[in-house]
Amino acid sequence: MDRNKTARLIRRVWFSVGLAAVSAVLFFTAQGNPGWVGAGYHRFSQAVSAFLARLFAWTSVSAAEILLILLLVAAVAGLAAAVVLCIRRRAAWPFLGYLSRLALGACTLLFLFLTFWGLSYYAPSLDETLGLDVKPRPPEALVQTAVWLEDNLNALAGQVPRNEQGACDFGGFAGLETSAGQGFGALSQQYPFFTAAASPPKRVIHWILMSRTGIAGIYIPLTGEANVNPDTPESMLPFTMVHELSHRQGIAPEDEANFAAFLSCEANEDVRFVYSGYLTAFIYCYNAAGDIDGAQPALWERLDPRVIADFEVMWEHSRKYAGPVRDLGERINDTYLKTMSQPEGVKSYGRVADLLIAEYVRRFGEPGLV
């Protein structure tokens, strides 16, 4: 290998090491100092996310998905070319060059992920930002919160479009995407923390893979895109869209993104989003009430039959894709969340019940005191 090629390889290695080191410093500093990531980073992350979302608005489908496919093709083609050169020239330097480029690309993406959005996992909690009093409360608080959500859910059940089987029929992804960010505009009037959504969510092309791995949506910080699986049951689709848009607001923890999605759905003028928000919030509180004797049967008895029809669609969708691939997808997501300081992993989604209880208390007072 000549001197120029050696120098380029060494430079790539040093740049990779440097980016990895800076990323590690950012990660461990933020992880070890809760609150170190403050309002300044939050506003920066929101601005970057909004800019990227507008930049990639040229396609109605996920640009991140397209770019990922191109990167995979390039990586495979680069590997094949490196192997051929190694064989022809009977030298290892083509393969080492390939590895150095791969390492530099990976370290660059990691650095950008943390810089643009990833540090949001270590920002002040959403309940602190919004002034909610989250603390241990008696079981009655959870039950009353679930009843509040259920009452609104039942009242809305007859206001949303339904099919002949009685389940939600919202017109699919294309019928919802333009209204998805509407609620954040309303919330921004009440909470300066929020901003109006810059662009609508994107549907993914290869949705079958997401369905098989149990993924309803994924936010891509490097493109600012809220990617959503269009195969999601209709009743859950609006909430899923808004959940991913919540991540664009600079909200990383899953329970907080769920709560922000509930607030945004509730503030939306489109009744389909309001219904989906109350439905999903009720599900989380209903599941959390499993340890309270008699709570779940009592709550179930009060449900409108049309809501139960939506649950049946969810169960059928879940059964359709059950299997080892879905289990693997959940384990991967669980590992990622635990790495990003969410020790409960995928169970952290359900911690939104604590935030919902605090919101109930904020609106109606402590249980038994009103």
Side-chain angles (χ1 to χ4, degrees), residues 12-307:
R12 285 194 291 268
V13 171
W14 276 114
F15 275 128
S16 300
V17 171
L19 286 171
V22 173
S23 298
V25 169
L26 290 172
F27 178 80
F28 288 111
T29 301
Q31 190 178 48
N33 298 275
W36 176 72
V37 182
Y41 176 80
H42 175 254
R43 287 303 182 195
F44 166 77
S45 180
Q46 281 184 327
V48 170
S49 296
F51 169 77
L52 290 171
R54 288 191 293 267
L55 182 65
F56 288 96
W58 51 270
T59 171
S60 61
V61 296
S62 171
E65 185 180 10
I66 296 171
L67 291 172
L68 176 60
I69 293 172
L70 293 176
L71 283 174
L72 290 174
V73 171
V76 172
L79 176 60
V83 170
V84 170
L85 284 174
C86 285
I87 295 172
R88 285 182 178 177
R89 301 183 183 183
R90 297 182 181 180
W93 66 260
F95 188 67
L96 294 176
Y98 169 79
L99 289 180
S100 68
R101 293 185 187 91
L102 201 63
L104 180 58
C107 291
T108 300
L109 292 177
L110 174 62
F111 172 75
L112 293 176
F113 167 77
L114 290 173
T115 303
F116 289 173
W117 185 81
L119 297 183
S120 297
Y121 281 102
Y122 312 105
S125 63
L126 187 61
D127 56 283
E128 178 184 342
T129 302
L130 302 184
L132 292 174
D133 183 19
V134 176
K135 64 180 181 181
R137 287 188 166 89
E140 291 77 13
L142 173 60
V143 174
Q144 288 191 22
T145 301
V147 169
W148 161 56
L149 296 169
E150 186 175 35
D151 286 344
N152 283 280
L153 180 61
N154 286 337
L156 291 163
Q159 300 180 34
V160 294
R162 296 183 175 277
N163 58 27
E164 293 180 357
Q165 289 72 42
C168 287
D169 184 1
F170 293 165
F173 193 95
L176 293 164
E177 58 183 332
T178 55
S179 301
Q182 185 185 96
F184 285 114
L187 283 180
S188 66
Q189 303 300 313
Q190 182 179 359
Y191 301 108
F193 175 86
F194 296 105
T195 61
S199 62
K202 302 278 194 75
R203 63 180 178 85
V204 296
I205 302 170
H206 299 88
W207 54 264
I208 187 66
L209 180 61
M210 292 182 71
S211 292
R212 292 195 179 280
T213 52
I215 300 173
I218 182 171
Y219 176 67
I220 306 297
L222 300 180
T223 59
E225 292 177 300
N227 295 300
V228 175
N229 180 356
D231 187 42
T232 303
E234 296 266 311
S235 61
M236 299 288 290
L237 189 54
F239 183 89
T240 301
M241 289 179 168
V242 182
H243 174 96
E244 299 309 327
L245 288 175
S246 296
H247 286 313
R248 189 191 290 163
Q249 295 284 327
I251 303 170
E254 297 300 339
D255 58 329
E256 296 182 7
N258 272 339
F259 182 67
F262 166 73
L263 292 179
S264 182
C265 283
E266 187 184 40
N268 201 303
E269 294 180 358
D270 189 330
V271 69
R272 297 173 298 178
F273 283 85
V274 184
Y275 177 81
S276 186
Y278 274 108
L279 175 68
T280 311
F282 171 76
I283 290 172
Y284 282 118
C285 286
Y286 178 85
N287 290 338
D291 294 331
I292 303 174
D293 288 342
Q296 286 187 336
L299 289 168
W300 188 263
E301 286 296 321
R302 301 178 72 253
L303 279 174
D304 187 293
R306 290 165 292 194
V307 177

Side-chain angles (χ1 to χ4, degrees), residues 233 310-322:
D310 290 326
F311 284 147
E312 290 173 348
V313 172
M314 294 180 209
W315 295 331
E316 178 59 31
H317 185 271
S318 181
R319 286 193 294 267
K320 180 179 178 181
Y321 294 109

